[in-house]
Amino acid sequence: MELLQNKILEEGKVLSESVLKVDSFLNHQIDPKLMLEIGEEFARLFTTEGITKILTLESSGIAPSVMTGLKLGIPVIFARKRKSLTLTDDLLTANVYSYTKQESNEISISNKFIQPEDCVLIIDDFLANGEAALGLIDLVTQAKATVAGIGIVIEKSFQVGGQKLREQGWRVESLARVESLSNGKVTFVNDKVEETI
Ligand code: 5GP
């Protein structure tokens, strides 16, 4: 998605060889217009899958998920990273090792929002080692529902998550695929293709 790639090039900050900061449009301040375009793109990519619900992880997955839910006309559920006092229903939980925080979180959802007949699209902001996506897949599986696929805003292709999920047979669609963050510079997987044309 060219618009997203350009935004990453203009505003993304390379914090290290493996961490990209995009807090001006996705992780802190949010660009609603870009989120709407992202939602339209996910809706277009997954329109034929018979999706009934979207599942994401708080907090940065919520904005792109809501826009996708708006386009597909379906509800969005976000898994919580901390137990809330108001989350009193029966919970489904999974353990996720956080890449950026370097700690394990128990993520949870109320079991009333995903039923066995649901077909669920999982959305997240970043894909690194695949821990968050696998935790969300675990929750859908515990609910005995179907995973339609995984929509990722920014995949870091030099980390193992994308390969791991695709090898397990999941459909993964990433709107920007970062090939490298070396030397403080973002390069995308498709940059190479363009250069050889
Ligand atoms: P994974 O679970 O695939 O290892 O990592 C994905 C999760 O870690 C995402 O939910 C995202 O919040 C966070 N994350 C991983 N890499 C980055 C990164 O380079 N930048 C930011 N802002 N978040 C990241």
Side-chain angles (χ1 to χ4, degrees):
M1 196 180 163
E2 206 182 331
L3 190 68
L4 175 62
Q5 287 195 5
N6 288 340
K7 192 79 168 175
I8 294 169
L9 290 175
E10 280 161 22
E11 299 184 18
K13 303 260 179 309
V14 178
L15 291 190
S16 70
E17 296 268 304
S18 61
V19 179
L20 177 65
K21 186 171 174 176
V22 288
D23 65 347
S24 69
F25 62 91
L26 179 60
N27 289 143
H28 196 9
Q29 175 171 261
I30 291 170
D31 180 339
K33 208 161 168 284
L34 178 65
M35 291 306 122
L36 184 59
E37 303 250 6
I38 285 171
E40 281 169 350
E41 186 62 7
F42 280 140
R44 189 186 66 75
L45 287 165
F46 287 101
T47 195
T48 57
E49 302 278 348
I51 293 161
T52 57
K53 297 261 166 96
I54 294 172
L55 176 63
T56 188
L57 190 55
E58 67 174 351
S59 52
S60 296
I62 296 176
S65 297
V66 166
M67 293 307 189
T68 311
L70 187 66
K71 292 312 289 184
L72 291 172
I74 55 173
V76 176
I77 303 142
F78 60 92
R80 292 180 181 257
K81 290 179 181 162
R82 280 200 194 94
K83 290 235 167 74
S84 153
L85 282 178
T86 58
L87 207 59
T88 51
D89 306 296
D90 287 337
L91 295 181
L92 302 176
T93 60
N95 258 317
V96 169
Y97 182 77
S98 164
Y99 181 75
T100 44
K101 301 203 174 85
Q102 311 247 308
E103 62 181 29
S104 264
N105 281 308
E106 192 171 71
I107 64 166
S108 49
I109 56 169
S110 161
N111 71 357
K112 72 178 174 200
F113 292 123
I114 300 186
Q115 302 300 319
E117 57 274 18
D118 278 318
C119 181
V120 181
L121 171 62
I122 289 170
I123 289 182
D124 204 8
D125 59 340
F126 271 89
L127 178 60
N129 293 321
E131 292 281 319
L134 287 168
L136 293 169
I137 291 170
D138 189 0
L139 295 180
V140 178
T141 308
Q142 287 180 47
K144 300 187 169 54
T146 309
V147 175
I150 300 147
I152 298 290
V153 180
I154 304 172
E155 174 178 349
K156 292 181 292 177
S157 299
F158 56 89
Q159 290 174 300
V160 297
Q163 193 188 349
K164 209 186 319 182
L165 293 169
R166 291 182 181 99
E167 274 175 9
Q168 289 184 13
W170 303 112
R171 177 180 174 200
V172 182
E173 297 285 354
S174 305
L175 304 188
R177 296 184 74 188
V178 173
E179 164 146 276
S180 153
L181 295 174
S182 294
N183 305 317
K185 199 170 155 273
V186 185
T187 52
F188 297 99
V189 170
N190 52 340
D191 287 350
K192 271 206 174 137
V193 181
E194 279 164 18
E195 275 166 20
T196 54
I197 289 170

